[in-house]
Amino acid sequence: MPTIYLSPSTQQYNLFVTGGSEEYWMNLIADAMEPYLRQYGIKFYRNTPEMTAGSSIRDSNAKDVDFHIALHSNASGENQAGKNRGIIVFNYPGSRNGERMANILVDNFKKIYPLPDLVKAVPSISIGEVSRTNAPSVLIEVGFHDNVEDAEW
């Protein structure tokens, strides 16, 4: 049976323009994922709001999972606040399974996101949850929390 690590954001200080925080909304997404994971026999572990990105990485590595999924929302730079939209799925370059999962997620998000041309996979070596996990991983920026349309979506 496959095992994954769900790592919703622990960043309660990143506020959504519509209310709530990145931590709050990403935990709701993880909550909604759990019944589907159980239904398909996928075992999972999950971080807690009290953890940090670093402790989530260490916990994931200690549990020897098959895949690590980090859930986040994005924000524009100060001069662009509220103007950007889209979904970015980060993966570690050279990780075949990380890239494969990123592409699967992009294909599926394009089916449900209102602006499918703004959904993309991007390799990254600078994001800890894709570069420091033992398991293949992705970090999904599920829209921009400073954009009203993305926040409502």
Side-chain angles (χ1 to χ4, degrees), residues 72-151:
H72 285 257
S73 59
N74 211 340
S76 303
E78 195 172 306
N79 295 335
Q80 292 289 310
K83 296 179 182 176
N84 294 308
R85 296 191 68 187
I87 296 173
I88 304 170
V89 183
F90 291 101
N91 62 284
Y92 191 76
S95 170
R96 188 175 338 153
N97 286 329
E99 182 179 356
R100 183 170 170 241
M101 177 63 86
N103 289 326
I104 289 168
L105 290 166
V106 164
D107 290 344
N108 282 282
F109 272 113
K110 283 183 176 194
K111 293 175 186 175
I112 62 172
Y113 185 68
L115 301 167
D117 290 343
L118 297 181
V119 180
K120 61 186 175 182
V122 175
S124 174
I125 60 169
S126 63
I127 297 173
E129 285 196 89
V130 297
S131 66
R132 294 179 42 219
T133 56
N134 293 341
S137 58
V138 293
L139 182 142
I140 311 164
E141 295 278 10
V142 187
F144 282 76
H145 59 252
D146 60 358
N147 179 285
V148 172
E149 290 86 1
D150 269 12

Side-chain angles (χ1 to χ4, degrees), residues 5-6 34 50 54 63 77 93 99-100 121 124 130 132 136 153:
Y5 193 90
L6 286 178
E34 288 187 13
E50 297 76 34
K63 290 181 170 42
E99 182 179 356
R100 183 170 170 241
S124 174
V130 297
R132 294 179 42 219
W153 179 79

